[in-house]
């Protein structure tokens, strides 16, 4: 049976959250926390592999105690084991410090045949973590998977790269990064949601995964945010009136004036 | 875990990963980055170096040279035809360790988004993704002449300014279309050919068949002169498909918000916005596009913006030069009809 680890991050629902103009940050109270959308696709890949060849799925999340909610959701979808990497010393980690902590936790809780991450987290939108896990763990990473087939210790994958289809064969262990184009997430059954909050969650602190304090959190993060400002933009907004035909004529006339239509 | 961070000794110069797209042309975004890199290098009084790894790399030297780097370093080999994550990161890391650049810039393409975080992890340095602004700035606490990297934050509602005060190199990936490319005739370029021999495979990943080519839009959205974009307000794939006719009448390309992409009215390559492409056409027309910040942040550089929406108060109307309050599909037909009549007369 394969052992699969998926990385799930809890993120504020940035699409819905209110933005505080004064402080330049998200009004946390207004922001509902969700599982990062791509991570559900990562989980879906793990579940469908389990459906075909059998696997034990571990969900790993790094975050504050509230990130348990994300793990309960992963359990509701069918994760067998949940691990929360939680320590105030991880707070303020940028993508590199996050990758280091996740990699150390993966080594501690592994070994795994497959590690699956989401392509990108919607709060930071960096898309770095998959690649950086690949570097730190020295395990190859495959992205943009179109189709795959597992045969023993090998996986054949059809993938997209730029404008090309590639067909490759990779040996395990392997890291996959999965995004929303790669599959459709199954529906969650209410009965599973009810049961999932009884799932035991293993907690790991910095002392459990080892490493130096200056590798993690703010001190371990090479980048700093020096300023945040609200994004703003307005224009003249001339209103075009009349019936549809007149409006079309008026627009075409304006475009000619600007020299955009040339004939 | 061990970082290969370079301590001691000075880091200087700006490097740009001059990516070759589809092994046949220099990526526009690379020329844009070289142009911006030139300005940053001038501000610092340092050199700008462009790096090319490609099959027949010599072909691309003249075009890159015209955009004003002080140095071009290149390697040319059949093994470099496609971006390969088993080859390029090692090659690039070796060069960084040897020459110690202070800043390294990458386009936010698939290759750049693979290469940059790998190098950042190897050198234990910071990386800022999908930047929309780069400048040189001083900071009261962190010191002088640092790279100031701006990027959308909080789902596009804000712009965050990021620095990498201590670790080197300072690294950023940059969206295509963010900067303008410009030729420079006043710089003399030194060209350095790197010796390269392809490493053997470790056998962990092997290719089973030669890559197959897919179709793609005629002009990348980033370079389109005119963009007609559709959103949820177009209502159906059938209506959305009419955009292609208008685009062809206007000599432009068809773009979309995230909604048509999610509804499978069109492919992901047409999505404009924070998770899609950044465009700067002369004309952008939005049909049934509400103008959420994740979309509009990537169209603000358009010269003229026209909004067609049943709601006169939509956020896109706010940032439009011309506002039409009407049904998107109906006005799309009216515009197609009008342009056809004009072309005939
Ligand atoms: C992390 C994150 C990243 C995102 N990235 C992107 C991105 O890269 N690109 C992107 O586009 N979006 C992105 N989004 C989504 C974005 O927030 C918006 O949801 C999306 O842009 C809205 O698309 P829309 O304007 O088509 O739809 P809606 O917001 O639903 O607007 C539809 C508009 O059509 C109008 N309308 C309705 N009927 C008609 C009619 N008959 N005729 C004319 N008008 C009509 C309505 O008044 C409305 O204004 C992202 C969101 C998140 C959270
Ligand atoms: N704190 C975290 N806990 C668990 N997984 C994470 C965390 N941060 C990032 N990831 C994983 O890495 C992917 C890419 O994140 P990012 O590089 O931050 O855009 C996410 O989709 C997750 O799968």
């Amino acid at each position: 049976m394969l052992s699969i680890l998926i990385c799930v991050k809890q993120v504020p629902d940035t699409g819905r959250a209110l933005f505080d103009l004064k402080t330049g940050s998200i009004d946390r109270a207004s922001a509902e926390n969700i599982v990062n959308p791509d991570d559900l696709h990562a989980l879906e890949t793990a579940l469908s592999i389990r459906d075909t060849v059998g696997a034990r799925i571990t969900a790993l999340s790094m975050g504050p105690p509230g990130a348990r909610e994300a793990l309960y959701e992963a359990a509701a979808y069918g994760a067998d084991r949940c691990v929360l990497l939680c320590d105030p010393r991880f707070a303020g980690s940028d993508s590199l410090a996050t990758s280091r902590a996740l990699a150390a936790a993966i080594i501690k809780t592994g070994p795994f045949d497959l590690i699956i991450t989401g392509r990108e987290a919607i709060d930071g939108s960096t898309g770095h973590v998959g690649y950086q896990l690949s570097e730190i763990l020295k395990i190859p990473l495959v992205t943009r998977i179109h189709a795959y087939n597992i045969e023993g210790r090998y996986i054949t994958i059809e993938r997209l790269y730029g404008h090309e289809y590639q067909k490759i064969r990779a040996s395990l262990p392997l890291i996959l990064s999965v995004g929303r184009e790669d599959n459709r997430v199954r529906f969650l059954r209410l009965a599973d949601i009810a049961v999932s909050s009884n799932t035991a969650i293993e907690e790991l602190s910095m002392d459990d995964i080892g490493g130096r304090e200056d590798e993690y959190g703010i001190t371990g993060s090479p980048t700093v945010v020096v300023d945040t400002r609200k994004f703003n933009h307005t224009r003249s907004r001339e209103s075009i009136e009349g019936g549809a035909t007149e409006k079309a004529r008026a627009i075409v006339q304006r475009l000619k004036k600007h020299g955009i239509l040339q004939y | 875990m061990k970082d290969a961070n370079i301590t001691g000794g000075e880091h200087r110069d700006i490097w740009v990963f001059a990516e070759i797209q589809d092994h046949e042309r220099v990526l526009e975004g690379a020329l844009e980055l070289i142009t911006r890199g030139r300005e940053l290098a001038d501000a610092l009084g340092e050199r700008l170096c462009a790096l090319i790894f490609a099959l027949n790399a010599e072909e691309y030297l003249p075009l890159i040279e015209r955009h004003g780097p002080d140095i071009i370093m290149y390697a040319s080999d059949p093994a470099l035809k496609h971006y390969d994550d088993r080859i390029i990161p090692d090659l690039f890391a070796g060069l960084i360790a040897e020459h110690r650049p202070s800043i390294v810039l990458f386009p936010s393409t698939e290759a750049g988004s693979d290469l940059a975080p790998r190098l950042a992890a190897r050198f234990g340095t910071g990386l800022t993704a999908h930047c929309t602004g780069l400048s040189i700035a001083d900071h009261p606490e962190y010191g002088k002449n640092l790279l100031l990297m701006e990027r959308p934050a909080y789902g596009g509602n804000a712009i965050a300014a990021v620095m990498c005060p201590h670790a080197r190199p300072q690294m950023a990936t940059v969206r295509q279309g963010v900067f303008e490319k410009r030729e420079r005739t006043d710089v003399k370029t030194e060209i350095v050919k790197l010796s390269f021999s392809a490493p053997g495979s470790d056998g962990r990943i092997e290719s089973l068949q030669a890559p197959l080519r897919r179709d793609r839009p005629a002009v990348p959205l980033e370079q389109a002169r005119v963009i007609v974009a559709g959103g949820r307000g177009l209502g159906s794939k059938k209506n959305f498909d009419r955009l292609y006719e208008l685009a062809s009448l206007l000599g432009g390309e068809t773009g979309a918000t995230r909604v048509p992409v999610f509804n499978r009215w069109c492919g992901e390559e047409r999505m404009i916005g924070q998770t899609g492409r950044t465009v700067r056409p002369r004309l952008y027309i939005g049909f049934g596009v509400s103008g959420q910040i994740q979309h509009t942040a990537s169209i603000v550089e358009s010269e003229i913006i026209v909004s067609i929406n049943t709601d006169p108060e939509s956020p896109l109307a706010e940032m439009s030069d011309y506002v039409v309050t009407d049904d998107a599909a109906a006005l799309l037909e009216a515009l197609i009809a009008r342009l056809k009549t004009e072309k005939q007369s």
Side-chain angles (χ1 to χ4, degrees):
Chain A
M1 195 165 63
L2 293 178
S3 59
I4 302 180
L5 178 122
I6 53 157
C7 291
V8 293
K9 184 177 189 185
Q10 189 182 49
V11 294
D13 190 350
T14 49
R16 302 231 174 96
L18 298 176
F19 187 75
D20 185 331
L21 309 188
K22 282 202 211 80
T23 61
S25 65
I26 279 187
D27 173 7
R28 292 272 160 191
S30 78
E32 210 187 313
N33 286 325
I34 56 170
V35 174
N36 180 46
D38 279 1
D39 302 358
L40 292 179
H41 293 273
L43 180 51
E44 175 61 40
T45 299
L47 293 170
S48 58
I49 291 173
R50 188 174 67 183
D51 292 345
T52 50
V53 297
R56 179 173 153 81
I57 301 173
T58 300
L60 168 67
S61 187
M62 174 173 118
R68 287 175 158 266
E69 295 296 327
L71 290 169
Y72 289 138
E73 191 166 332
Y77 276 99
D80 302 293
R81 177 185 176 202
C82 293
V83 180
L84 179 65
L85 184 56
C86 184
D87 195 310
R89 288 170 288 184
F90 295 137
S93 292
D94 70 0
S95 57
L96 181 64
T98 300
S99 302
R100 283 181 182 138
L102 290 174
I106 289 170
I107 291 169
K108 175 81 189 170
T109 49
F112 298 99
D113 301 305
L114 279 170
I115 295 161
I116 311 180
T117 74
R119 165 121 65 143
E120 192 166 275
I122 59 168
D123 59 343
S125 302
T126 72
H128 294 166
V129 166
Y131 297 105
Q132 298 197 322
L133 289 179
S134 169
E135 285 295 319
I136 298 168
L137 297 170
K138 308 233 179 305
I139 299 176
L141 168 75
V142 179
T143 60
R144 302 192 69 191
I145 298 150
H146 189 62
Y148 59 84
N149 186 33
I150 297 181
E151 294 150 3
R153 301 294 301 165
Y154 288 94
I155 171 166
T156 50
I157 297 176
E158 285 169 53
R159 67 181 296 259
L160 293 172
Y161 179 76
H163 303 299
E164 292 175 336
Y165 281 110
Q166 300 177 338
K167 194 166 179 189
I168 58 172
R169 188 164 101 128
S171 60
L172 301 178
L174 195 65
I175 304 178
L176 308 177
S177 123
V178 176
R180 60 178 179 273
E181 319 75 25
D182 300 330
N183 57 34
R184 285 197 171 225
V185 178
R186 62 193 61 191
F187 283 106
L188 199 53
R189 292 192 328 210
L190 284 173
D192 297 328
I193 301 176
V195 171
S196 74
S197 53
N198 298 328
T199 309
I201 291 181
E202 294 166 45
E203 267 203 42
L204 295 179
S205 70
M206 200 195 106
D207 301 320
D208 295 316
I209 61 167
R212 301 185 317 266
E213 204 156 321
D214 65 0
E215 290 177 309
Y216 305 121
I218 292 181
T219 43
S221 297
T223 57
V224 288
V225 175
V226 293
D227 183 34
T228 313
R229 67 186 150 81
K230 177 161 190 308
F231 186 83
N232 204 352
H233 192 79
T234 50
R235 296 194 184 207
S236 64
R237 52 179 315 191
E238 179 192 345
S239 181
I240 310 276
E241 305 294 341
T245 324
E246 288 148 64
K247 283 174 180 157
R249 184 182 303 129
I251 292 173
V252 169
Q253 182 261 324
R254 301 291 192 288
L255 300 185
K256 283 183 179 160
K257 187 184 85 186
H258 291 287
I260 289 168
L261 283 182
Q262 301 152 322
Y263 48 79
Chain B
M1 140 189 11
K2 199 179 157 315
D3 290 330
N5 201 353
I6 317 163
T7 44
E10 207 189 338
H11 289 80
R12 50 184 297 122
D13 296 346
I14 300 180
W15 285 16
V16 172
F17 174 51
E19 184 180 340
I20 305 304
Q21 189 179 29
D22 292 335
H23 45 81
E24 63 183 25
R25 80 191 85 81
V26 180
L27 183 85
E28 286 290 302
L31 297 176
E32 294 160 9
L33 266 188
I34 291 170
T35 303
R36 186 67 185 145
R38 177 72 264 164
E39 292 158 0
L40 300 177
D42 290 343
L44 286 172
E46 297 184 2
R47 292 175 305 179
L48 174 71
C49 173
L51 292 99
I52 314 171
F53 311 114
L55 168 66
N56 302 328
E58 285 86 357
E59 278 178 27
Y60 310 112
L61 298 177
L63 178 61
I64 291 183
E65 190 173 350
R66 284 204 297 281
H67 288 78
D70 298 289
I71 305 168
I72 300 178
M73 285 201 255
Y74 77 96
S76 187
D77 193 279
L80 300 172
K81 179 171 175 188
H82 299 271
Y83 175 83
D84 188 332
D85 61 19
R86 293 159 295 177
I87 296 180
I88 307 277
D90 286 346
L91 180 57
F92 210 118
L95 292 168
I96 291 179
E98 185 182 349
H99 299 280
R100 302 143 102 55
S102 155
I103 293 173
V104 188
L105 307 175
F106 307 81
S108 284
T109 53
E110 238 178 307
S113 303
D114 179 300
L115 179 56
R118 289 182 184 279
L119 293 172
R122 290 190 193 192
F123 291 99
T125 191
L127 170 64
T128 307
H130 310 319
C131 292
T132 53
L134 294 175
S135 53
I136 301 297
D138 299 338
H139 187 276
E141 186 182 340
Y142 303 125
K144 287 193 181 307
N145 288 332
L146 291 161
L147 182 65
L148 185 74
M149 300 166 274
E150 291 184 299
R151 67 173 312 240
Y154 300 114
N157 291 296
I159 301 283
V162 180
M163 282 180 168
C164 178
H166 309 296
R168 290 294 175 273
Q170 305 161 85
M171 307 209 318
T173 65
V174 180
R175 277 281 161 81
Q176 289 207 75
V178 166
F179 299 116
E180 243 157 323
K181 63 170 180 179
R182 214 172 313 118
E183 300 202 358
R184 285 275 292 251
T185 48
D186 55 332
V187 183
K188 200 167 158 0
T189 308
E190 177 193 348
I191 294 183
V192 180
K193 179 169 180 154
L194 301 165
S195 66
F196 171 82
S197 58
S201 164
D202 63 1
R204 287 164 87 177
I205 294 191
E206 51 182 322
S207 183
L208 294 182
Q209 69 187 33
L212 299 172
R213 190 67 175 255
R214 286 197 303 158
D215 285 343
R216 58 183 146 88
V219 179
L221 291 189
E222 288 90 344
Q223 289 154 47
R225 272 183 70 251
V226 171
I227 290 203
V228 295
R232 191 196 307 273
L234 274 174
S236 68
K237 172 157 174 31
K238 190 165 144 278
N239 290 338
F240 186 92
D241 283 344
R242 298 292 289 150
L243 289 172
Y244 299 109
E245 170 135 23
L246 180 64
S248 112
L249 284 164
L250 289 171
E253 278 294 332
T254 300
T257 67
R258 195 167 72 164
V259 174
V261 176
F262 268 32
N263 291 350
R264 307 201 176 216
W265 298 347
C266 69
E268 194 201 354
E269 70 285 356
R270 300 207 180 266
M271 182 160 74
I272 296 167
Q274 185 193 327
T275 33
R277 293 155 192 271
T278 301
V279 297
R280 45 191 306 155
R282 294 210 56 206
L283 168 67
Y284 168 101
I285 314 183
F287 291 89
V289 172
S290 64
Q292 298 307 307
I293 194 85
Q294 292 87 356
H295 182 74
T296 54
S298 300
I299 66 166
V300 288
E301 298 284 325
S302 308
E303 187 182 320
I304 301 291
I305 295 179
V306 182
S307 160
I308 295 154
N309 197 310
T310 42
D311 172 12
E313 305 288 312
S314 76
L316 183 62
E318 193 66 41
M319 55 180 290
S320 290
D321 300 280
Y322 301 109
V323 178
V324 184
T325 307
D326 212 326
D327 176 65
L331 212 83
L332 176 54
E333 288 311 325
L335 266 173
I336 291 171
R338 178 75 214 169
L339 286 165
K340 279 187 168 165
T341 332
E342 296 222 352
K343 288 211 168 174
Q344 274 155 14
S345 59

